[in-house]
Amino acid sequence: MDPSLAFFAPEGDTLVPTAMAQSMWSTDQMHGVAVSGALGRALERAVAALGRADLQPTRYTVDLFRAARMQPCEISTEVVREGSRICLVDATMTQAGERVARASAVFLKPTASTEGQVWSPDERPSPPPHEVAPPTDEPHVPYFHSEVGWTQDFSQHQNGSRKQSWNSAIPVVAGEAITPFQAAAAIADGASLVTHWGSLGVEHINTDITLTLVRPPVGVEIGLSAVDRLEQDGISVGTAAMFDRTGPLGTCVVTALANARRVVDMGGISYDDDGTRRTTS
């Protein structure tokens, strides 16, 4: 893997966004995948610093309340509470002394499962077939699924049908191997894409992300499948299931605002595996 392929370059305790962190909303704005990945990394490192290898992330919430610019970032963390079976940690991203995003996470200590019978759905999402998307930990252009099936051609999925995605996570910081939780935290922002991408493109911008996990992903290949979507008066809530090659992981919920004056035309772009963005129309 190219060691420079990442969303951020480290400069001491500062993270400097690379071109791969650039949003499609604006050339001076970072996308939520990069912001969420950086915040998730900070939270995970804070728990690791406590020596709590017995805990695993189970709930992760991000508030994207200000556009994060393509400028150096600093992230601070605070352990809110540490107990024998639970740890709560907060993180804040700042740019030039101004807060642009925040996150919180709950880490829990796994125990034995209960024995009682409880309902769960029979139908679960599954990855693309191996002949379409061979297993790999190398970053690649996401695969999407809609009424046309699984492809990496974005123009084929600019429609009003239900969507899924399949992703291999990009490292958050250059020179660091991405962890499974960092992969999940970053890819969780993609719940907005599978629930808000329609026939005219992406007409909503998400303001938050909530990810719940019953276990860490196995590796860094992660899928999202739209489960539900509600919209009224320009406010939309999208819910997606998260899964990997071994089965379901949890759910992602995003709240979004209509942004029809700045629609992202997903049908008019394409990507290379190195993150290069191309205009196709």
PDB file of all heavy atoms in Angstrom, residues 153-159 197-202 264-270 278-281:
ATOM      1  N   ASP A 153     -19.355   1.854 -11.031  1.00  0.00           N
ATOM      2  CA  ASP A 153     -19.728   2.946 -11.918  1.00  0.00           C
ATOM      3  C   ASP A 153     -20.825   3.771 -11.247  1.00  0.00           C
ATOM      4  O   ASP A 153     -21.984   3.371 -11.217  1.00  0.00           O
ATOM      5  CB  ASP A 153     -20.227   2.377 -13.256  1.00  0.00           C
ATOM      6  CG  ASP A 153     -20.574   3.466 -14.276  1.00  0.00           C
ATOM      7  OD1 ASP A 153     -20.652   4.654 -13.890  1.00  0.00           O
ATOM      8  OD2 ASP A 153     -20.770   3.116 -15.448  1.00  0.00           O
ATOM      9  N   PHE A 154     -20.449   4.920 -10.682  1.00  0.00           N
ATOM     10  CA  PHE A 154     -21.397   5.736  -9.928  1.00  0.00           C
ATOM     11  C   PHE A 154     -22.602   6.146 -10.773  1.00  0.00           C
ATOM     12  O   PHE A 154     -23.722   6.250 -10.258  1.00  0.00           O
ATOM     13  CB  PHE A 154     -20.711   6.982  -9.383  1.00  0.00           C
ATOM     14  CG  PHE A 154     -19.692   6.725  -8.304  1.00  0.00           C
ATOM     15  CD1 PHE A 154     -19.245   5.446  -8.020  1.00  0.00           C
ATOM     16  CD2 PHE A 154     -19.166   7.771  -7.581  1.00  0.00           C
ATOM     17  CE1 PHE A 154     -18.296   5.205  -7.032  1.00  0.00           C
ATOM     18  CE2 PHE A 154     -18.218   7.547  -6.580  1.00  0.00           C
ATOM     19  CZ  PHE A 154     -17.788   6.264  -6.311  1.00  0.00           C
ATOM     20  N   SER A 155     -22.397   6.397 -12.057  1.00  0.00           N
ATOM     21  CA  SER A 155     -23.486   6.889 -12.908  1.00  0.00           C
ATOM     22  C   SER A 155     -24.635   5.888 -12.984  1.00  0.00           C
ATOM     23  O   SER A 155     -25.794   6.273 -13.176  1.00  0.00           O
ATOM     24  CB  SER A 155     -22.964   7.197 -14.317  1.00  0.00           C
ATOM     25  OG  SER A 155     -22.525   6.016 -14.974  1.00  0.00           O
ATOM     26  N   GLN A 156     -24.342   4.607 -12.806  1.00  0.00           N
ATOM     27  CA  GLN A 156     -25.388   3.584 -12.891  1.00  0.00           C
ATOM     28  C   GLN A 156     -26.304   3.590 -11.663  1.00  0.00           C
ATOM     29  O   GLN A 156     -27.392   3.011 -11.708  1.00  0.00           O
ATOM     30  CB  GLN A 156     -24.754   2.195 -13.049  1.00  0.00           C
ATOM     31  CG  GLN A 156     -24.034   2.000 -14.369  1.00  0.00           C
ATOM     32  CD  GLN A 156     -23.511   0.580 -14.494  1.00  0.00           C
ATOM     33  OE1 GLN A 156     -23.034  -0.014 -13.524  1.00  0.00           O
ATOM     34  NE2 GLN A 156     -23.602   0.025 -15.682  1.00  0.00           N
ATOM     35  N   HIS A 157     -25.862   4.237 -10.583  1.00  0.00           N
ATOM     36  CA  HIS A 157     -26.615   4.183  -9.329  1.00  0.00           C
ATOM     37  C   HIS A 157     -27.312   5.497  -8.989  1.00  0.00           C
ATOM     38  O   HIS A 157     -27.872   5.624  -7.894  1.00  0.00           O
ATOM     39  CB  HIS A 157     -25.682   3.765  -8.190  1.00  0.00           C
ATOM     40  CG  HIS A 157     -25.013   2.454  -8.434  1.00  0.00           C
ATOM     41  ND1 HIS A 157     -25.685   1.244  -8.385  1.00  0.00           N
ATOM     42  CD2 HIS A 157     -23.731   2.158  -8.789  1.00  0.00           C
ATOM     43  CE1 HIS A 157     -24.844   0.272  -8.673  1.00  0.00           C
ATOM     44  NE2 HIS A 157     -23.657   0.795  -8.917  1.00  0.00           N
ATOM     45  N   GLN A 158     -27.301   6.427  -9.919  1.00  0.00           N
ATOM     46  CA  GLN A 158     -28.013   7.692  -9.686  1.00  0.00           C
ATOM     47  C   GLN A 158     -29.489   7.460 -10.028  1.00  0.00           C
ATOM     48  O   GLN A 158     -29.977   7.820 -11.087  1.00  0.00           O
ATOM     49  CB  GLN A 158     -27.413   8.836 -10.504  1.00  0.00           C
ATOM     50  CG  GLN A 158     -28.024  10.189 -10.152  1.00  0.00           C
ATOM     51  CD  GLN A 158     -26.975  11.256  -9.943  1.00  0.00           C
ATOM     52  OE1 GLN A 158     -26.101  11.091  -9.114  1.00  0.00           O
ATOM     53  NE2 GLN A 158     -27.074  12.344 -10.691  1.00  0.00           N
ATOM     54  N   ASN A 159     -30.178   6.826  -9.101  1.00  0.00           N
ATOM     55  CA  ASN A 159     -31.578   6.458  -9.292  1.00  0.00           C
ATOM     56  C   ASN A 159     -32.267   6.483  -7.929  1.00  0.00           C
ATOM     57  O   ASN A 159     -31.647   6.768  -6.903  1.00  0.00           O
ATOM     58  CB  ASN A 159     -31.685   5.074  -9.952  1.00  0.00           C
ATOM     59  CG  ASN A 159     -30.911   4.007  -9.189  1.00  0.00           C
ATOM     60  OD1 ASN A 159     -31.064   3.848  -7.982  1.00  0.00           O
ATOM     61  ND2 ASN A 159     -30.055   3.269  -9.904  1.00  0.00           N
ATOM     62  N   TRP A 197     -28.774   9.385  -1.434  1.00  0.00           N
ATOM     63  CA  TRP A 197     -28.428   9.508  -2.855  1.00  0.00           C
ATOM     64  C   TRP A 197     -29.623   9.051  -3.680  1.00  0.00           C
ATOM     65  O   TRP A 197     -30.059   7.912  -3.595  1.00  0.00           O
ATOM     66  CB  TRP A 197     -27.197   8.658  -3.127  1.00  0.00           C
ATOM     67  CG  TRP A 197     -26.684   8.694  -4.539  1.00  0.00           C
ATOM     68  CD1 TRP A 197     -27.062   9.526  -5.550  1.00  0.00           C
ATOM     69  CD2 TRP A 197     -25.687   7.828  -5.080  1.00  0.00           C
ATOM     70  NE1 TRP A 197     -26.363   9.243  -6.688  1.00  0.00           N
ATOM     71  CE2 TRP A 197     -25.507   8.204  -6.425  1.00  0.00           C
ATOM     72  CE3 TRP A 197     -24.929   6.789  -4.546  1.00  0.00           C
ATOM     73  CZ2 TRP A 197     -24.588   7.557  -7.257  1.00  0.00           C
ATOM     74  CZ3 TRP A 197     -24.017   6.141  -5.371  1.00  0.00           C
ATOM     75  CH2 TRP A 197     -23.858   6.524  -6.710  1.00  0.00           C
ATOM     76  N   GLY A 198     -30.149   9.971  -4.478  1.00  0.00           N
ATOM     77  CA  GLY A 198     -31.330   9.674  -5.274  1.00  0.00           C
ATOM     78  C   GLY A 198     -31.133   9.941  -6.749  1.00  0.00           C
ATOM     79  O   GLY A 198     -30.006  10.047  -7.249  1.00  0.00           O
ATOM     80  N   SER A 199     -32.219  10.107  -7.456  1.00  0.00           N
ATOM     81  CA  SER A 199     -32.188  10.221  -8.912  1.00  0.00           C
ATOM     82  C   SER A 199     -31.550  11.510  -9.406  1.00  0.00           C
ATOM     83  O   SER A 199     -31.103  11.579 -10.554  1.00  0.00           O
ATOM     84  CB  SER A 199     -33.614  10.109  -9.466  1.00  0.00           C
ATOM     85  OG  SER A 199     -34.433  11.155  -8.950  1.00  0.00           O
ATOM     86  N   LEU A 200     -31.492  12.544  -8.558  1.00  0.00           N
ATOM     87  CA  LEU A 200     -30.889  13.818  -8.962  1.00  0.00           C
ATOM     88  C   LEU A 200     -29.515  14.032  -8.344  1.00  0.00           C
ATOM     89  O   LEU A 200     -28.901  15.086  -8.549  1.00  0.00           O
ATOM     90  CB  LEU A 200     -31.805  14.986  -8.576  1.00  0.00           C
ATOM     91  CG  LEU A 200     -33.181  15.017  -9.239  1.00  0.00           C
ATOM     92  CD1 LEU A 200     -33.993  16.220  -8.755  1.00  0.00           C
ATOM     93  CD2 LEU A 200     -33.047  15.043 -10.759  1.00  0.00           C
ATOM     94  N   GLY A 201     -29.024  13.054  -7.586  1.00  0.00           N
ATOM     95  CA  GLY A 201     -27.752  13.196  -6.897  1.00  0.00           C
ATOM     96  C   GLY A 201     -27.974  13.226  -5.396  1.00  0.00           C
ATOM     97  O   GLY A 201     -28.999  12.764  -4.891  1.00  0.00           O
ATOM     98  N   VAL A 202     -26.997  13.777  -4.659  1.00  0.00           N
ATOM     99  CA  VAL A 202     -27.113  13.890  -3.212  1.00  0.00           C
ATOM    100  C   VAL A 202     -27.602  15.302  -2.891  1.00  0.00           C
ATOM    101  O   VAL A 202     -26.880  16.283  -3.087  1.00  0.00           O
ATOM    102  CB  VAL A 202     -25.757  13.626  -2.515  1.00  0.00           C
ATOM    103  CG1 VAL A 202     -25.911  13.743  -1.005  1.00  0.00           C
ATOM    104  CG2 VAL A 202     -25.235  12.239  -2.881  1.00  0.00           C
ATOM    105  N   VAL A 264     -24.787  17.452  -5.055  1.00  0.00           N
ATOM    106  CA  VAL A 264     -23.614  16.715  -5.531  1.00  0.00           C
ATOM    107  C   VAL A 264     -24.079  15.700  -6.578  1.00  0.00           C
ATOM    108  O   VAL A 264     -24.846  14.784  -6.261  1.00  0.00           O
ATOM    109  CB  VAL A 264     -22.896  16.002  -4.378  1.00  0.00           C
ATOM    110  CG1 VAL A 264     -21.786  15.098  -4.921  1.00  0.00           C
ATOM    111  CG2 VAL A 264     -22.316  17.018  -3.404  1.00  0.00           C
ATOM    112  N   ASP A 265     -23.650  15.895  -7.801  1.00  0.00           N
ATOM    113  CA  ASP A 265     -24.038  15.017  -8.904  1.00  0.00           C
ATOM    114  C   ASP A 265     -23.110  13.806  -8.924  1.00  0.00           C
ATOM    115  O   ASP A 265     -22.042  13.831  -9.523  1.00  0.00           O
ATOM    116  CB  ASP A 265     -23.953  15.781 -10.227  1.00  0.00           C
ATOM    117  CG  ASP A 265     -24.348  14.940 -11.426  1.00  0.00           C
ATOM    118  OD1 ASP A 265     -24.832  13.806 -11.222  1.00  0.00           O
ATOM    119  OD2 ASP A 265     -24.163  15.411 -12.568  1.00  0.00           O
ATOM    120  N   MET A 266     -23.510  12.739  -8.244  1.00  0.00           N
ATOM    121  CA  MET A 266     -22.685  11.537  -8.172  1.00  0.00           C
ATOM    122  C   MET A 266     -22.581  10.845  -9.526  1.00  0.00           C
ATOM    123  O   MET A 266     -21.630  10.103  -9.780  1.00  0.00           O
ATOM    124  CB  MET A 266     -23.269  10.569  -7.145  1.00  0.00           C
ATOM    125  CG  MET A 266     -23.258  11.084  -5.719  1.00  0.00           C
ATOM    126  SD  MET A 266     -21.598  11.296  -5.063  1.00  0.00           S
ATOM    127  CE  MET A 266     -21.038   9.590  -5.019  1.00  0.00           C
ATOM    128  N   GLY A 267     -23.553  11.072 -10.397  1.00  0.00           N
ATOM    129  CA  GLY A 267     -23.517  10.448 -11.708  1.00  0.00           C
ATOM    130  C   GLY A 267     -22.513  11.076 -12.641  1.00  0.00           C
ATOM    131  O   GLY A 267     -22.241  10.542 -13.714  1.00  0.00           O
ATOM    132  N   GLY A 268     -21.933  12.207 -12.233  1.00  0.00           N
ATOM    133  CA  GLY A 268     -20.998  12.910 -13.102  1.00  0.00           C
ATOM    134  C   GLY A 268     -19.551  12.819 -12.667  1.00  0.00           C
ATOM    135  O   GLY A 268     -18.704  13.579 -13.144  1.00  0.00           O
ATOM    136  N   ILE A 269     -19.241  11.879 -11.741  1.00  0.00           N
ATOM    137  CA  ILE A 269     -17.867  11.742 -11.273  1.00  0.00           C
ATOM    138  C   ILE A 269     -17.446  10.284 -11.282  1.00  0.00           C
ATOM    139  O   ILE A 269     -18.267   9.373 -11.341  1.00  0.00           O
ATOM    140  CB  ILE A 269     -17.691  12.299  -9.847  1.00  0.00           C
ATOM    141  CG1 ILE A 269     -18.565  11.511  -8.859  1.00  0.00           C
ATOM    142  CG2 ILE A 269     -18.001  13.779  -9.778  1.00  0.00           C
ATOM    143  CD1 ILE A 269     -18.258  11.818  -7.421  1.00  0.00           C
ATOM    144  N   SER A 270     -16.138  10.083 -11.236  1.00  0.00           N
ATOM    145  CA  SER A 270     -15.583   8.750 -11.036  1.00  0.00           C
ATOM    146  C   SER A 270     -14.302   8.892 -10.234  1.00  0.00           C
ATOM    147  O   SER A 270     -13.744   9.988 -10.120  1.00  0.00           O
ATOM    148  CB  SER A 270     -15.304   8.059 -12.379  1.00  0.00           C
ATOM    149  OG  SER A 270     -14.253   8.734 -13.069  1.00  0.00           O
ATOM    150  N   ARG A 278     -12.384  12.271 -10.910  1.00  0.00           N
ATOM    151  CA  ARG A 278     -12.506  12.697 -12.303  1.00  0.00           C
ATOM    152  C   ARG A 278     -13.957  13.105 -12.582  1.00  0.00           C
ATOM    153  O   ARG A 278     -14.899  12.494 -12.065  1.00  0.00           O
ATOM    154  CB  ARG A 278     -12.102  11.580 -13.263  1.00  0.00           C
ATOM    155  CG  ARG A 278     -10.687  11.057 -13.012  1.00  0.00           C
ATOM    156  CD  ARG A 278     -10.299   9.985 -14.013  1.00  0.00           C
ATOM    157  NE  ARG A 278      -9.029   9.380 -13.667  1.00  0.00           N
ATOM    158  CZ  ARG A 278      -7.844   9.929 -13.906  1.00  0.00           C
ATOM    159  NH1 ARG A 278      -7.784  11.105 -14.523  1.00  0.00           N
ATOM    160  NH2 ARG A 278      -6.750   9.295 -13.556  1.00  0.00           N
ATOM    161  N   THR A 279     -14.135  14.122 -13.402  1.00  0.00           N
ATOM    162  CA  THR A 279     -15.459  14.534 -13.853  1.00  0.00           C
ATOM    163  C   THR A 279     -15.766  13.813 -15.148  1.00  0.00           C
ATOM    164  O   THR A 279     -14.965  13.833 -16.083  1.00  0.00           O
ATOM    165  CB  THR A 279     -15.513  16.056 -14.080  1.00  0.00           C
ATOM    166  OG1 THR A 279     -15.176  16.709 -12.855  1.00  0.00           O
ATOM    167  CG2 THR A 279     -16.895  16.487 -14.518  1.00  0.00           C
ATOM    168  N   THR A 280     -16.922  13.159 -15.200  1.00  0.00           N
ATOM    169  CA  THR A 280     -17.269  12.357 -16.369  1.00  0.00           C
ATOM    170  C   THR A 280     -18.362  12.999 -17.217  1.00  0.00           C
ATOM    171  O   THR A 280     -18.742  12.460 -18.240  1.00  0.00           O
ATOM    172  CB  THR A 280     -17.730  10.955 -15.927  1.00  0.00           C
ATOM    173  OG1 THR A 280     -18.853  11.082 -15.040  1.00  0.00           O
ATOM    174  CG2 THR A 280     -16.612  10.221 -15.216  1.00  0.00           C
ATOM    175  N   SER A 281     -18.906  14.131 -16.751  1.00  0.00           N
ATOM    176  CA  SER A 281     -19.962  14.779 -17.556  1.00  0.00           C
ATOM    177  C   SER A 281     -19.883  16.284 -17.396  1.00  0.00           C
ATOM    178  O   SER A 281     -19.139  16.789 -16.548  1.00  0.00           O
ATOM    179  CB  SER A 281     -21.348  14.287 -17.117  1.00  0.00           C
ATOM    180  OG  SER A 281     -21.618  14.635 -15.794  1.00  0.00           O
TER     181      SER A 281
END
